[in-house]
Amino acid sequence: YRNIIGLSHYFPSVYSLDLMGWGLSSRPNFDLVDTSVEAAERFFIDSLEEWRKANNIDKMVLGGHSMGGYLSVAYCEKYPQHVDHLILLSPVGVSHKEVEEEDRIKRGVGPAPNVPFVWWAARTALLELWEWDFTPSLVLRILPEENGRDLISNYIQRRLEAIACPEEQAALTEYLYLNSILPASGENSLNRILLPGALARNPTVDRIPKLKVQTVTMVYGDKDWMNVSGGLEVKRICAEQNSALKSSVVNKAEHAEQVEERSPDINVHLIRNSGHLIMLENWEEFNSSVIIAGKGEQVVSPKMPQPIILA
């Protein structure tokens, strides 16, 4: 609620949506005959497009968190004319598998080369289960209610220190637990789109530079397991492509073509003292980041905590 109230002072309308099949949105059966990445993406982006049309929204600042960030890229590939600015909030699936795995090992958040056999065997088993639609929510559906609620509650207290109010902790536990035990739907798409370890089968580092959206802002926490280096790599690729395109222009006709072929301008923000759940862990800097992305730095008061803007 701190995000929605804060952002509503700067944007005429603020919508907070659960993707189809997740949260409090409808949960249709995810039983697509076509098992491709593209079919799984269409399941979500076409439902978002139907929502946009039903609400008569011609242009929007589109923001997506985690999996929502990945799917926002897919939406912009198909419907760029309806997006003024794209904001990717700790997005999943940016880097290629090999790059991301190597980086996680360096940061100490991935499997080291010399792990005990028991750990390796358990990891191998989990990788196999992933291909059979095994998800964290399935664990909660199997557990007795008391154990499931305790699991969620302990996670919140251990990982979300910013949520210190007992009443808010209880409300968040209730929300996360109840959403997890509802019938599976959108979560059954995960292994179509992602490899084990939240690694994309079709990484967005290759897709964002081709988007016909003018500006993309990528926002990460400084303790995020979604690595900011992915955002910086996208920024580098887009800057290099735009620089090469600019230097090749000879006449006005080519300039018009350049505008059409140009990669988006990429901004990368870093939120202090936060991990993957940046909107909860440091809501003030998160709000400032979204406002800067959608409205510009000039509208944010100097008194407001602001994100680190990476060059």
Side-chain angles (χ1 to χ4, degrees), residues 36-56:
S36 67
V37 173
E38 293 75 17
E41 291 177 356
R42 285 195 299 271
F43 177 84
F44 298 104
I45 64 176
D46 288 348
S47 65
L48 177 58
E49 173 61 7
E50 289 304 310
W51 174 88
R52 183 201 63 78
K53 290 191 290 189
N55 285 273
N56 297 314

Side-chain angles (χ1 to χ4, degrees), residues 82-229:
H82 298 303
V83 179
D84 267 330
H85 191 118
L86 176 62
I87 308 177
L88 304 178
L89 306 164
S90 188
V92 72
V94 176
S95 301
H96 286 278
K97 178 178 182 290
E98 297 77 15
V99 174
E100 183 64 27
E101 286 183 331
E102 181 179 346
D103 183 76
R104 289 181 186 181
I105 291 172
K106 290 179 180 178
R107 292 188 292 140
V109 296
N114 301 315
V115 296
F117 174 78
V118 173
W119 195 98
W120 178 86
R123 180 173 180 270
T124 301
L126 288 173
L127 297 185
E128 289 296 324
L129 288 170
W130 177 262
E131 299 296 338
W132 290 91
D133 289 336
F134 184 87
T135 65
S137 292
L138 181 58
V139 175
L140 290 170
R141 294 188 192 103
I142 295 171
L143 287 175
E145 180 176 342
E146 182 179 356
N147 299 112
R149 288 182 181 275
D150 285 344
L151 194 64
I152 296 289
S153 178
N154 291 336
Y155 168 82
I156 291 170
Q157 292 179 35
R158 185 176 68 254
R159 295 290 300 275
L160 298 176
E161 295 179 1
I163 310 296
C165 172
E167 186 177 349
E168 290 186 359
Q169 289 179 348
L172 188 55
T173 298
E174 184 79 0
Y175 174 80
L176 293 177
Y177 177 73
L178 291 179
N179 278 311
S180 295
I181 64 171
L182 287 172
S185 177
E187 70 193 72
N188 291 337
S189 72
L190 291 176
N191 65 4
R192 312 275 184 92
I193 294 174
L194 302 176
L195 296 163
L199 304 167
R201 297 182 187 274
N202 190 2
T204 58
V205 67
D206 302 320
R207 303 164 68 179
I208 295 172
K210 301 173 185 176
L211 293 180
K212 303 306 179 185
V213 176
Q214 186 173 357
T215 311
V216 178
T217 299
M218 305 179 75
V219 187
Y220 296 84
D222 62 358
K223 302 173 184 175
D224 206 329
W225 69 289
M226 300 297 174
N227 192 10
V228 68
S229 65

Side-chain angles (χ1 to χ4, degrees), residues 237-249 258:
I237 292 171
C238 290
E240 288 182 357
Q241 290 184 359
N242 287 336
S243 178
L245 194 62
K246 185 176 181 180
S247 64
S248 67
V249 172
Q258 177 200 47

Side-chain angles (χ1 to χ4, degrees), residues 6 22 26 51 70 79 106 108-109 112 148 165 196 208 244 254 259 273:
W22 266 303
S26 301
W51 174 88
Y70 174 95
Y79 304 107
K106 290 179 180 178
V109 296
C165 172
I208 295 172
E254 288 188 354
V259 172
N273 303 315

